[in-house]
Amino acid sequence: MNSVKSLPKRQIKHLIINGLRFRLGCFNICLTSSIADVTEHIQRLYGAYQLISENDFIDFHVELSSPSKLRRYIRPQVNFYFDGYFPFKPLPYAQAAAFFEWGLNWCIANHSNHYLIIHAAVVERNGLAFIFPGTPGSGKSTLCAALVCSGWRLLSDEMTLLSMADGKIYPVPRPVSLKNQSIDVIQRFSPGAEFGQVVTGTAKGSISHMCAPEQSVQLSNQPAVPSKLIFPKYIPDSETELTPLSKGRAMLSAAENAFNYSVLGVHGFEKLAEMIEQCDCFEFKYSKLEEAIALFSALSDEQ
Amino acid sequence: MDGIALMMDELLSDAKTNNIIAVKVKISCIQLQGDYVIYDHLSGDTHLLDEMSGGLLCSLNTQTMSRDDLLKKLVKSFADLSWLEINNYLDVFIDRFVALDLLNITKQSA
């Protein structure tokens, strides 16, 4: 099948209005919207994704649309519609593209219990996955974006999908969500990186999405082996410091960062323990991206 | 008076010695390096325990023991600690895990 970018812009717009069906890692998505910002977002950031046929099973049917006629004119809003219902309150119309990304995160995190889903960025080099769990503000997405711009493969900037079947990590390479100062930091770090529009005034501040590298999207059917579990913390002006973390403490922190750990019960516990046993675990403080990348590249070369 | 207090202590100590201690719910134990990670099947809680507490809880998961048996087991495993330290530790261990609803104590009459 063709990729999104192989189509003329007018046809992409037409497809999105009627339901654009595309492959996203191990999921099939059908997106419907007539909102211009959503169409532009897809054209700019989803060009490399493979279109799928009418006959393919769709995991997530999502739609972004205006709630009512009145709300199209007075403080316009946008609704996220998923498999027949509205899981969220509407957001300002200008946040439609970001709402698509957040809504899709929610769809995957809440409906994919054949994976243990850890709130963590995950990148791969030399076949080995480096997992970066982190609370908002820890700098995991910034670090992930910088690694990806330096040649690492993006598996996800937001959720690590640990397969309950084979213990490997399955990619879901999506645009990397960057907030506030991180947008400028990565634009300076990698001037060639493609970004979507900057959406201001969200609950998280200003947001922009960086395009996933084409190669990461093309390799999105290839899982990676968990190798390092690293809890990052961005601290301004700090030295780069990688400190070993006990596996027990790492397991507890990873469980706290997992979306569906409690849903999976003892199976999630056992699968997470398996992953921890095969990973080296660290805490990581940083302020300079170049030093961080050099350190992780050396670490992946050691293996 | 001191003599009576001492006798009471001994009697209470004997009563505690005979208590049967058992794991109350189904748990899964995994040892990761020096630590133990315990999963409580009923509550879904995950606990991180040190080697001593984790080892003890995992032993109790396979068989019930009297307090006296537990004490003997600990004395044998941790030769560098005094009997008093281990005895005090055992009281804290039992209170902690009873409070977490993981252990059950059955009082045995002497």
Side-chain angles (χ1 to χ4, degrees):
Chain A
M1 287 298 284
N2 294 329
S3 61
V4 173
K5 70 179 175 192
S6 69
L7 303 175
K9 283 191 174 180
R10 184 177 291 185
Q11 196 180 344
I12 297 173
K13 185 181 173 185
H14 175 77
L15 276 176
I16 296 174
I17 289 170
N18 294 289
L20 176 76
R21 303 160 78 91
F22 62 98
R23 183 98 183 128
L24 180 63
C26 38
F27 303 105
N28 289 342
I29 313 293
C30 179
L31 165 67
T32 307
S33 183
S34 55
I35 296 170
D37 284 354
V38 175
T39 305
E40 192 196 327
H41 183 76
I42 296 295
Q43 284 170 343
R44 281 167 77 163
L45 304 181
Y46 280 81
Y49 294 78
Q50 292 295 304
L51 296 165
I52 52 172
S53 79
E54 290 285 323
N55 300 324
D56 283 310
F57 177 81
I58 296 294
D59 295 285
F60 304 117
H61 284 273
V62 300
E63 183 180 337
L64 286 124
S65 56
S66 300
S68 69
K69 284 179 183 169
L70 199 61
R71 275 297 190 192
R72 287 179 193 178
Y73 306 105
I74 304 166
R75 282 189 289 161
Q77 291 184 326
V78 58
N79 251 329
F80 183 91
Y81 188 73
F82 163 68
D83 277 358
Y85 73 106
F86 301 103
F88 312 107
K89 287 182 178 171
L91 285 182
Y93 194 80
Q95 297 178 19
F99 203 7
F100 165 63
E101 297 294 343
W102 298 330
L104 203 51
N105 283 344
W106 177 88
C107 291
I108 295 170
N110 284 279
H111 301 88
S112 312
N113 291 326
H114 45 311
Y115 299 103
L116 176 67
I117 305 177
I118 304 166
H119 185 204
V122 55
V123 292
E124 176 266 330
R125 190 167 182 264
N126 297 335
L128 304 173
F130 282 44
I131 303 159
F132 299 97
T135 47
S138 62
K140 72 175 165 51
S141 288
T142 314
L143 189 57
C144 171
L147 285 162
V148 161
C149 290
S150 306
W152 289 61
R153 173 159 75 109
L154 174 70
L155 279 77
S156 173
D157 82 308
E158 189 66 23
M159 48 183 80
T160 295
L161 304 183
L162 177 68
S163 167
M164 295 297 290
D166 63 15
K168 290 180 181 169
I169 294 174
Y170 281 75
V172 54
R174 310 247 311 275
V176 178
S177 172
L178 294 166
K179 296 189 284 284
N180 305 314
Q181 297 96 321
S182 294
I183 302 166
D184 285 340
V185 167
I186 296 300
Q187 281 175 337
R188 277 199 306 272
F189 182 84
S190 182
E194 176 82 21
F195 278 77
Q197 63 172 185
V198 177
V199 181
T200 56
T202 79
K204 299 174 178 181
S206 296
I207 299 278
S208 185
H209 288 87
M210 187 191 86
C211 190
E214 188 161 348
Q215 201 188 12
S216 298
V217 178
Q218 284 166 353
L219 295 175
S220 63
N221 59 347
Q222 291 185 18
V225 176
S227 172
K228 306 276 186 277
L229 181 65
I230 300 163
F231 292 84
K233 183 74 193 160
Y234 172 79
I235 300 173
D237 304 319
S238 68
E239 296 294 314
T240 303
E241 199 175 299
L242 188 69
T243 316
L245 178 67
S246 81
K247 285 182 186 271
R249 197 151 290 286
M251 169 134 180
L252 221 60
S253 298
E256 283 166 7
N257 277 288
F259 291 114
N260 58 346
Y261 179 74
S262 59
V263 176
L264 295 172
V266 70
H267 304 294
F269 168 78
E270 286 168 353
K271 195 52 74 179
L272 184 59
E274 261 177 46
M275 187 191 92
I276 298 285
E277 274 175 338
Q278 71 185 98
C279 280
D280 301 316
C281 305
F282 301 95
E283 285 179 315
F284 179 61
K285 281 194 301 187
Y286 79 101
S287 64
K288 297 181 184 74
L289 287 171
E290 291 81 0
E291 288 184 12
I293 288 156
L295 179 72
F296 294 137
S297 297
L299 209 56
S300 81
D301 288 338
E302 274 175 18
Q303 299 281 324
Chain B
M1 282 296 286
D2 283 353
I4 293 168
L6 200 63
M7 273 173 61
M8 286 298 289
D9 271 356
E10 280 174 8
L11 281 170
L12 284 171
S13 173
D14 281 348
K16 277 201 305 190
T17 301
N18 290 325
N19 287 344
I20 299 296
I21 298 157
V23 172
K24 195 174 179 181
V25 292
K26 189 174 178 187
I27 60 169
S28 293
C29 308
I30 288 173
Q31 192 173 13
L32 291 169
Q33 292 172 330
D35 298 324
Y36 282 85
V37 185
I38 310 292
Y39 182 79
D40 177 341
H41 288 236
L42 186 66
S43 69
D45 291 340
T46 304
H47 304 276
L48 176 63
L49 304 180
D50 58 50
E51 191 178 2
M52 202 164 169
S53 306
L56 214 51
L57 198 62
C58 292
S59 300
L60 285 166
N61 196 34
T62 53
Q63 60 175 129
T64 57
M65 288 190 215
S66 70
R67 190 185 184 285
D68 194 36
D69 289 339
L70 275 177
L71 192 58
K72 283 176 190 160
K73 183 179 166 64
L74 283 174
V75 168
K76 201 185 281 183
S77 302
F78 297 93
D80 52 330
L81 297 177
S82 71
W83 182 90
L84 191 63
E85 282 174 311
I86 291 176
N87 191 49
N88 289 342
Y89 165 80
L90 192 53
D91 281 337
V92 172
F93 169 84
I94 291 168
D95 288 347
R96 181 184 169 196
F97 289 101
V98 166
L100 284 170
D101 245 7
L102 286 172
L103 286 184
N104 201 21
I105 298 177
T106 312
K107 290 186 171 32
Q108 297 286 99
S109 52

